[in-house]
Each structure stands twice: as C-alpha cells, then as structure tokens.
Amino acid sequence: MKKNIYYRTVFKRSNAFKEGLLAFFLAFCSWPRLLLEVFIRKNFGERYFSLSAVMTVGGILALLPLIYLETMSRAFRSSEGMTFIGHFTTWYVYLAGFLYVSFQRYEEVKHLPSVFDFGRFSLSTGEIHPWFLDLRFSGEPATIRTIEIWLEPLGFAIGGFLLWALGQPIGLVILISSIFYSLSYAGAYHQGDHFIMDKIDEMICNEEMVSSFVEGRDASQTRGVSFYGRRPADPDTRRKLVDSFMEEDVVEAL
C-alpha cells in the first residue's frame, strides 16, 4: 500500500539487532521445541509435525553420549563405564520417552481430517493440554499467550534445572530447550502484534489521508497521522492525488 509504505518508511523505528535475534530464535527453535511439545500437545498439523525431524533429533541425542564416552580424558578411563551409566541413564530414558510419544503424535496426524478437504490447518502447532486451560490465577483463567510463553516451558525448566543440578546432562538439554520454547513463542507473538498494528496503521492512514494530506490538519486531529513533504498548493490537485493513491491500492490488491 503506497500510503502505508510512506508512513512506515519515514517513521518506523527499526532495531536490526533485535530483529536479527528474533529471526534467529524463530529459525533455530524448531528442534528444541520439538523435544518438549510432543509431551504436552497433540493433534499437530500435517506440515508442522515432521517424523523425519523426530528421527534426526533422536539420532543426535542417541549419539551424543557415545561421542562423549569416546572423547573422555584418560584421567577418567578407569571409571568411564560407571560415569557413563550414572550420567546418561536418564538421558536414554528421556530419549525413549521422546520417541514413544512422538510416534503417538505421528499416528494422530495420520488419522486427522484431510487438509485437502479443508478439514485441518496443516501448520497447526497442536492443541494445548486441558490442564493448562483449567488453571486459574486470582479466579481468572490463564491466557493462551501466558500458557505458551510461560506455563508450558516452566515445568520443563524446573525439571531440567533439577536434573542438571544432580549431574544429569539431559537436564541441561531440557533447560535450554525450555528457554528456546519460551522465546520462540514470545517472538511469534511479537510478530503477530506488529502484523495487527501494521493493519491498523494502514486503515488509519486510509481514513486520515484526506485530513492530513488534503486539508493539512495537525496530527492531534488525525489520530497522529502527519504528512511530511511538499504538497500542491491547489486543494483540488491534492484531492486528485489522494484519489490516485486509492486507485493504485485497489489495483495492487487485485
């Protein structure tokens, strides 16, 4: 939209570091989120849940302790067997549970309504567990935003920290995954907020363009919209320009 592009170009503040960090988390969080969400959600979208991703993550988790065992320093060679069992039993228990519930999620996806019949959103992130929806704070239910950013990863973060404190490496994996889980949803909501604000600003620009550009009213009278730049002296010419903007927007929409 021509008008909205002008206002966003002139006024919108950008934070390259923040935007880059957000893009990184959204791109990198898929696997850490997968490690947790299969335990607490179900009925994922066909294109969101990937069995190949499950097998890849499972393979990496299975190999990491073996790589650790192979690269242990000679100082611990005499007790490496006991060290390995003591540190990585919980690792493989978690891996077994992850693979088991992942195959359950895969079976759910196969039996869901077909996306080609418009029966299902193929990128659905799954259904939140009813337990979270039943939680009350001061008599009020928790919002979906609060559940996804804070409550869902909180239990994993606490459990992961406790396992890590007990010398279990899987605890650090779970703790880090819970952080990425939280940040990924925070980033998604941030993008959603800005998407809505962009649409609202676009509507305001459309509605206030005549007042701002043609009539030259102050921002206090146009919900904050101001046009910066020279304008034709003739009001009729200004109105024709606004009409041309409208026509260009219609053509672009088509």
Side-chain angles (χ1 to χ4, degrees):
M1 298 297 179
K2 300 291 185 182
K3 302 177 293 301
N4 197 37
I5 289 174
Y6 163 78
Y7 286 111
R8 290 176 63 186
T9 302
V10 173
F11 296 110
K12 187 174 182 180
R13 299 183 189 275
S14 60
N15 186 324
F17 175 77
K18 180 180 178 181
E19 296 301 323
L21 191 63
L22 174 61
F24 167 77
F25 274 111
L26 291 179
F28 188 75
C29 284
S30 177
W31 285 5
R33 248 165 64 169
L34 179 63
L35 284 170
L36 309 184
E37 63 191 359
V38 293
F39 290 98
I40 55 176
R41 294 195 176 196
K42 61 180 182 178
N43 295 333
F44 295 105
E46 184 175 327
R47 290 194 296 164
Y48 179 80
F49 180 83
S50 171
L51 186 61
S52 62
V54 169
M55 299 309 296
T56 301
V57 173
I60 293 173
L61 286 180
L63 290 175
L64 283 178
L66 301 179
I67 295 173
Y68 164 80
L69 180 62
E70 183 64 26
T71 57
M72 286 178 67
S73 65
R74 292 183 178 275
F76 293 97
R77 286 292 181 184
S78 60
S79 59
E80 66 180 14
M82 185 61 68
T83 301
F84 183 84
I85 294 174
H87 282 80
F88 290 102
T89 297
T90 53
W91 183 290
Y92 283 105
V93 169
Y94 185 86
L95 175 59
F98 168 73
L99 293 175
Y100 175 74
V101 297
S102 294
F103 279 104
Q104 286 186 318
R105 303 290 86 86
Y106 177 65
E107 290 297 320
E108 290 170 355
V109 171
K110 290 198 304 182
H111 292 92
L112 288 171
S114 172
V115 298
F116 296 102
D117 295 327
F118 294 84
R120 183 75 178 162
F121 179 49
S122 67
L123 294 175
S124 171
T125 55
E127 299 174 5
I128 296 174
H129 196 285
W131 184 82
F132 292 104
L133 300 175
D134 291 337
L135 288 176
R136 294 289 185 275
F137 297 94
S138 300
E140 297 293 328
T143 64
I144 299 299
R145 186 172 189 146
T146 299
I147 291 173
E148 293 184 319
I149 296 177
W150 298 106
L151 299 183
E152 284 187 324
L154 179 60
F156 289 105
I158 295 173
F161 179 79
L162 291 176
L163 286 170
W164 185 31
L166 293 173
Q168 302 300 304
I170 191 61
L172 182 59
V173 173
I174 296 173
L175 177 60
I176 293 175
S177 295
S178 68
I179 294 172
F180 275 98
Y181 190 104
S182 177
L183 291 176
S184 68
Y185 272 108
Y189 276 103
H190 174 80
Q191 285 190 330
D193 290 343
H194 280 267
F195 172 78
I196 295 300
M197 284 190 284
D198 285 341
K199 294 301 180 182
I200 292 172
D201 287 345
E202 185 178 307
M203 293 175 63
I204 292 175
C205 289
N206 289 337
E207 295 169 2
E208 299 292 348
M209 193 63 179
V210 172
S211 299
S212 174
F213 185 79
V214 178
E215 301 174 3
R217 294 187 181 181
D218 183 77
S220 62
Q221 300 174 298
T222 58
R223 289 182 283 179
V225 176
S226 295
F227 182 85
Y228 290 83
R230 292 183 178 180
R231 294 171 295 173
D234 181 26
D236 290 336
T237 303
R238 282 184 246 168
R239 189 173 295 276
K240 289 179 181 179
L241 280 173
V242 170
D243 291 340
S244 71
F245 297 157
M246 297 291 186
E247 291 173 0
E248 289 177 3
D249 289 346
V250 171
V251 171
E252 287 182 359
L254 295 176

